[in-house]
Amino acid sequence: MAATGRRQRPRRLPCWALVAVLLADLLALSDTLAVMSVDLGSESMKVAIVKPGVPMEIVLNKESRRKTPVTVTLKENERFFGDSAAGMAIKSPKATMRYFQYLLGKQADNPHVALYRARFPEHELNVDPQRQTVRFHISPQLQFSPEEVLGMVLNYSRSLAEDFAEQPIKDAVITVPAFFNQAERRAVLQAARMAGLKVLQLINDNTATALSYGVFRRKDINSTAQNVMFYDMGSGSTVCTIVTYQTVKTKEAGMQPQLQIRGVGFDRTLGGLEMELRLREHLARLFNEQRKGQKAKDVRENPRAMAKLLREANRLKTVLSANADHMAQIEGLMDDVDFKAKVTRVEFEELCADLFERVPGPVQQALQSAEMSLDEIEQVILVGGATRVPKVQEVLLKAVNKEELGKNINADEAAAMGAVYQAAALSKAFKVKPFVVRDAVVYPILVEFTREVEEEPGIRSLKHNKRVLFSRMGPYPQRKVITFNRYSHDFNFHINYGDLGFLGPEDLRVFGTQNLTTVKLKGVGESFKKYPDYESKGIKAHFNLDESGVLSLDRVESVFETLVEDSPEEESTLTKLGNTISSLFGGGTTPDAKENGTDVIQEEEESPAEGSKDEPGEQAELKEEAESPVEDTSQPPPFEPKGDTAPEGEKPTEKESRDKPEDQKPNEKGEAGLEGAPPTPEEEKKQKPARKQRMVEEIGVELVVLDLPDLPEDELARSVQKLEDLTFRDLEKQEREKAANSLEAFIFETQDKLYQLEYQEVSTEEQREEISQKLSTVATWLEDEGFEATTVMLKEKLAELRKLCQGLFFRVEERKKWPERLSALDNLLNHSSIFLKGARLIPEMDQIFTEVEMTTLEKVINETWAWKNATVAEQAKLPATEKPVLLSKDIEAKMMSLDREVQYLLNKAKFAKPRARPKDKNGTRTEPPLNASATDQGEKIIPPAGEGQTEEAQPISEPEKVETGSEPIDTEPLELGGPEAESEQKEQPAGQKQPLKNDEL
């Protein structure tokens, strides 16, 4: 229960709470820096990712291809995806599942299920008794629903994206056909849940294509509306979309480009697959005719032969798009008989003549739904692989009456790129340029309910009411609230599809049931008994059509209001002052302002519709439909249905005045006054006689799904576990194959190394013979028993061989490293000795190193020289077959020890400050040192070009020379000296000597 009392000031989070929230967001983003999109087509899919440094890139699969077949092959002990599964379709057609998207969200009696059985008779489809859907029956142990198969494909797509991005990915945007209804969309979401993906959005593929087109042409979009038609003919279906591009003003980012879906037309079965099936049937007929006199079996009864013919038909369709004729050839089609036949483009077009006649159909549907004519369309752009068929382009060009068809978009990857851009926009890890997307509802949704009406005194009858909730081609995402004003007891209402007259009879049968959900409300009567003295404001049902186009009922509430009197002495002076200041700055909130996105003020705008005696309840319904526009804060106000603007504009002042506190209203004489001024006690008594109190009671809801029930949680958990077990089995298989390959490769490489000179020099004949015998034994075992060996056994065999050969390999590797390591050690010793000699030549007055530091460096140099000479001499005495005493790691340790001492002195010299020269009592400079010449005293009249400097002046500036010459060795300077050292270096002009600088100090 939620109740609303007096206005309260908003509570502010303390600073530590805000910091905690920010840290939580950063930690959440650290694991989700990459997002992906999956353009899920009927025949193939395209995967794209966005990650830091990689903006919008198509993922390459394991075969380095940009698109992957949506095909899965399931066997008892192995599973194949993509191109591997497509290759297995010929060997194991029954175990290879493809084009299964036709079965998503469909019950067993759906015409598409019968069509799938006719196209692919090799598959055995069983009926799920609980949901009345179908399952693929491969074997008694292997039975999978279409959602589970799609979950496998999505999991495989994520593995491709993660390998490409080199990091885990969980967030994804998935494309679906625009004609998918509620059951089909929920089926895709369940499949993604089985795959462990977090779906940011199910985006229509036509919308994703339009977004990709607009993003790369942002500069061409202006305030003038541009209407573009996208004709997308893929493998399984055809969708025609009319999109309007223009710039709109948004609250967050000012003027931004926007795309709005204005019209959609589609044909569920018109696509490249149907053309390939026609070609397959033609080739089968030709093959049967060639073997007519041999009393051979019909090739259609052989699943493997039909799979070969379908693959050849796919190739033929592609080739005939660019050639007038082509020769179809298949070796060993059936019974080791080769097939060869010539097919012309004319024959192909005759086979598909009825399909080409259906090409203009989606165009007309899109124009009708958009209420446009072809003259308003500026450009028609082709999308999808099947649009490459010349006859399709010819018929379409004639239908749209344009000079040419637009081909300036990547027909295969546009949807994937648009979807991944949307994924980056929805993710918290990326910031992209805003592009407003306003998708459209294809199938209208309405609410139906029945109530009693009294037509005549004493005569009551039932009346059936329908109220449109989301109209056809209305924008979404969107939230709406329907209010039932005439109920005071528990009742039911129904959520169904609206008028589907734009669909043909066959499409209606494929669409399935038009009833979505029955909502049973419990607790309405109890809420009225709980607040008998309150005035009912109706039963409010909050609906949400989210970004994925999936409808949900958020909650149902019973709302009551009453007037309560407020005495002035109830509030203290501080409380009244705080409430006044809060109202002045707009900080007041009401507790019933929930996060559902529906404007609370709009809900309060409702009033009992008693103005019409005939249909008061209907008037409230129509009013409520108008009061809920799109509530997506990231988008501008959507296109509102006609006739809905008048009710909202009737009572704006009444709504505002009712929502304000009474002390802020103008007085009855019309004096405005200052709204924020605190009222006097006398005025307060007059101005606040009563206030409205609102009570909200949650109503129990029971949903009865009528179209296609979702998987129960326990069934969904079993499906998730089943897919995880298959994935774990695949990983184990890959690990075993990797171990077997590593063992086999080690055996062959080591056997070859035993005959190489560098390995023979460091080993005896007995050692090589022992290793060779062990290698032969393991190779024989691997060939005879390796197929049954486990991963652990293979790894153990490899570990035994590596341990046996470890000494041999170690001696060879050490000898390879000696020349480079010893040369580096000699260079470091020579440079260190030169540095030490130069450091000792610095005059005592300018010396920056202590005697202890130089003595320590000299000791390390001498010890390193002695160790190197002794170890090299000792190693020379040892035979090459023995373990070496001169080790590369010891050489590196000596080099690090010596380099550490040198680096310490270099850093000290780099950041040391010169000592100030002592001055006499008169302030004059002291006599120069004995090693200084007259050149120092004459520098004031010699130009600073450095030509007159002599070698006698070098000892004074020698510390600077050593410091400068040693800088390249200083790879990790200490952060000492700060800005002072930098300023000293900058202020010293070229050619000026250090003594002058000391004089200035």
Side-chain angles (χ1 to χ4, degrees), residues 440-459:
V441 178
V442 177
Y443 305 117
I445 299 175
L446 52 80
V447 172
E448 299 185 24
F449 59 97
T450 304
R451 61 181 178 84
E452 291 186 353
V453 296
E454 188 174 356
E455 298 179 354
E456 297 180 5
I459 301 177

Side-chain angles (χ1 to χ4, degrees), residues 324-599:
D325 55 66
H326 189 67
M327 190 68 68
Q329 303 182 50
I330 303 176
E331 294 184 4
L333 176 57
M334 189 175 71
D335 298 336
D336 294 331
V337 176
D338 298 339
F339 171 64
K340 187 174 183 181
K342 183 178 181 181
V343 181
T344 64
R345 183 190 294 181
V346 176
E347 293 176 343
F348 170 64
E349 292 176 354
E350 290 177 355
L351 292 171
C352 305
D354 59 324
L355 299 181
F356 297 139
E357 292 176 359
R358 292 159 54 184
V359 169
V363 176
Q364 300 302 324
Q365 291 183 25
L367 291 173
Q368 290 175 6
S369 60
E371 298 180 355
M372 287 184 176
S373 63
L374 283 172
D375 297 336
E376 301 177 62
I377 305 299
E378 298 183 7
Q379 192 177 10
V380 179
I381 298 177
L382 297 178
V383 186
T387 56
R388 297 185 177 97
V389 176
K391 190 64 175 179
V392 172
Q393 299 182 13
E394 178 186 340
V395 176
L396 180 61
L397 185 62
K398 184 178 179 181
V400 298
N401 195 22
K402 299 292 181 182
E403 294 183 0
E404 61 179 357
L405 300 174
K407 301 177 184 178
N408 52 350
I409 192 172
N410 191 324
D412 292 326
E413 300 176 359
M417 299 300 283
V420 79
Y421 186 89
Q422 185 72 357
L426 295 175
S427 173
K428 296 180 180 179
F430 302 94
K431 184 177 181 181
V432 300
K433 292 183 178 180
F435 203 108
V436 183
V437 179
R438 294 178 62 189
D439 214 328
V441 178
V442 177
Y443 305 117
I445 299 175
L446 52 80
V447 172
E448 299 185 24
F449 59 97
T450 304
R451 61 181 178 84
E452 291 186 353
V453 296
E454 188 174 356
E455 298 179 354
E456 297 180 5
I459 301 177
R460 305 181 66 85
S461 61
L462 294 177
K463 183 172 182 180
H464 192 71
N465 297 273
K466 294 183 179 181
R467 298 291 172 262
V468 177
L469 189 61
F470 299 100
S471 59
R472 173 166 162 78
M473 303 315 299
Y476 78 88
Q478 188 173 176
R479 296 178 184 269
K480 285 202 174 180
V481 182
I482 290 289
T483 302
F484 304 93
N485 287 325
R486 307 291 291 182
Y487 290 94
S488 58
H489 54 82
D490 295 353
F491 66 97
N492 303 338
F493 63 90
H494 310 277
I495 306 172
N496 302 323
Y497 289 106
D499 182 16
L500 300 179
F502 57 93
L503 296 178
E506 183 63 27
D507 288 334
L508 281 175
R509 287 194 294 270
V510 174
F511 188 85
T513 178
Q514 299 185 28
N515 301 320
L516 284 172
T517 309
T518 295
V519 182
K520 299 180 180 180
L521 301 183
K522 298 179 180 180
V524 177
E526 296 178 0
S527 66
F528 276 83
K529 293 178 183 179
K530 192 171 183 179
Y531 303 102
D533 300 331
Y534 283 65
E535 178 186 1
S536 174
K537 290 298 181 181
I539 311 300
K540 296 192 175 187
H542 297 255
F543 295 91
N544 178 25
L545 191 64
D546 61 13
E547 294 85 354
S548 300
V550 178
L551 178 66
S552 61
L553 177 62
D554 287 346
R555 65 187 185 279
V556 179
E557 301 171 338
S558 183
V559 183
F560 301 90
E561 277 189 3
T562 187
L563 293 176
V564 295
E565 294 185 358
D566 255 353
S567 57
E569 55 271 10
E570 288 182 2
E571 293 182 341
S572 64
T573 305
L574 292 176
T575 303
K576 291 187 290 184
L577 181 60
N579 290 339
T580 303
I581 296 175
S582 178
S583 301
L584 177 63
F585 289 98
T589 58
T590 55
D592 59 347
K594 300 184 179 180
E595 64 276 3
N596 61 351
T598 304
D599 196 350

Side-chain angles (χ1 to χ4, degrees), residues 859-904:
K859 180 180 178 182
V860 173
I861 293 174
N862 294 334
E863 289 178 352
T864 304
W865 274 114
W867 174 87
K868 184 239 181 186
N869 295 331
T871 308
V872 170
E874 184 179 357
Q875 178 62 42
K877 298 177 182 178
L878 288 177
T881 57
E882 296 293 332
K883 182 180 179 180
V885 295
L886 180 61
L887 304 179
S888 59
K889 64 177 183 178
D890 294 341
I891 300 175
E892 293 174 356
K894 292 294 182 180
M895 292 175 62
M896 290 179 61
S897 176
L898 178 58
D899 184 68
R900 182 169 57 250
E901 295 295 332
V902 175
Q903 291 295 332
Y904 172 76

